[in-house]
Every structure is written in C-alpha cells, then in structure tokens.
Amino acid sequence: MDTSQMFSLKGRSALITGGSRGIGRMIAEGFLRQGARVYISARKAEACDATAKELSAIGHCVSLPGDVSTLEGVQQLVAALQQHEQTLDILVNNAGAAWGAPYDEFPESGWDKVVDLNLKAPFFLTQALTPMLRAAATDHLAKVIHIASIDGVSVNPQETYSYAASKAGLIHLTRRMALKLAPERIAVSAIAPGAFASTMNKDARDHADEVSRRIPLGRIGTPEDMAGAAIFLASRAGDYVVGSTLIVDGGVTWARG
C-alpha cells in the first residue's frame, strides 16, 4: 500500500462555488496546497477576482464569477469553465445563503432565495457538469462535495426555517445523487460544518469566545479543519465515502442533543 499520494490532488481540476470567502476560500486554499488547479465562483465579481488573485500566489487559481441560483447562471458558469478545462475532477457546491425571521413573519422571499441557492443550485450545477465529471473519471474517481450544515442534522434554536430545511434536504439529496452517480465513477458526499468564522456565521466570526463555550472541543473551526475534511473527501483517501455527510463541528451537534 502506497500512502504517499493518498491525499494528493496534483493534476486535478476543482470548481468551488462561493469560493471567494469563508468556507469556500478555506477549501480553495487547501486544494491549491495539495496541487489542484482551482476555479472559484461567487456572485460578486470584484470579490471573486480579488480572492483568486491572492490565492494565485499558492497555485493555479482562476475567478469565474456568476450566480448559480438560476439555471441561466448555472449554464453561464459551465460555459466559462469550459473555456479553461475539458474535464472536471472535483466539484464543491458551497455557495449558500441564510435567512432568519420570526415564524409568523417569515417571508416567501426568505424561503425562495435560500432554497434556490442551497438546494436547487447544487443539483442543477452538478447535473450540468456531469459530462465533464464523467470524462475526468478515468484512472481515478471524480468527486462532488456538497457543503451542508449541522443545522440540517440537529436543530438550531434560531428561526432560520428555510436554511435548516434546505440543508437537511441537501444531506438527503447527497444520498440520492450518490446512488445515481457512483456507477459512473463519480462519488458524491457532503460536509456538515459547525461554527466557522464567515460572513454568514457572524457569531463565530465576531463572538468566537462566546460561541466556543457551547462547543465540546472548546473552539470554533479553523481553515485547516475545513481544508482537511475537504481534501480527504476529494482525494484517493476518501474514495470509499459515498453518499455520507461528514460532520465537522467540534462535537456541537451531539451537545445540542
């Protein structure tokens, strides 16, 4: 058994949505350090371009701005990627949104925006990129990694109804898609992050000490924690993980009961 290349992504191509900041950026940097060619997408072109420029100091990183919440945006992103790559080894569906409002006032806009981006986009982007993933799956598996949330596994006390539902749906969608695509040598899995500092998780970013008190491990997640989980699933090391969701949260899911 040769384990020296087990976690290597050398020569692999990867597309990460929501890659300009937060968890997406953590994964992008990790993939670059393992030798992958990385393409990051985000709705805000300026931020996406700036992050790609910074990460290019590590390796091959290209900005492909776009909005994957619509089918038109999905097709535009696929076309942009095809200008650079004929095949795709790794797709990370990370772009996401959240919305909180009291139950009696929760708006339809807060439902549609979140569910379209968190649940619909991963399905239709993967569907559109399946020919490129299939073409990459030669002497190795192609990988699809959905970024879910522990809020899809256990209940968060906050009133984020559409977010929780969309992430629970994504975890089950991961299982269904995995069964369909595994015979085509495309392994689908997911990560359910806990508290990581990001624009979406402002509590973890701005009140890390307070949040850490609710986490059994006593701290919020670091870029290394997220990169390590994603590298495991994307590399040869994670080839036998099919349809499962890896919880990366310092134990908080089980502390919630």
Side-chain angles (χ1 to χ4, degrees), residues 87-175:
T87 65
L88 179 65
D89 296 290
I90 307 157
L91 170 61
V92 180
N93 285 306
N94 168 69
W99 195 295
Y103 175 77
D104 290 336
E105 302 165 19
F106 202 91
E108 184 182 20
S109 59
W111 187 271
D112 292 345
K113 176 185 177 180
V114 170
V115 174
D116 281 355
L117 187 55
N118 293 6
L119 189 54
K120 188 170 94 171
F123 178 82
F124 285 103
L125 182 58
T126 306
Q127 181 192 61
L129 287 168
T130 295
M132 291 181 72
L133 290 161
R134 198 182 285 131
T138 51
D139 62 336
H140 60 274
L141 299 183
K143 302 292 181 74
V144 177
I145 304 169
H146 295 147
I147 305 302
S149 168
I150 59 168
D151 291 356
V153 179
S154 59
V155 180
N156 186 324
Q158 296 172 335
E159 293 190 275
T160 51
Y161 298 101
S162 54
Y163 182 79
S166 68
K167 293 301 188 178
L170 184 59
I171 288 169
H172 200 67
L173 181 64
T174 298
R175 300 171 186 138

Side-chain angles (χ1 to χ4, degrees), residues 44 61 69 97 139 163 170 180 227 230 247:
K44 295 178 180 175
C61 188
S69 69
D139 62 336
Y163 182 79
L170 184 59
K180 171 63 179 175
I247 297 173

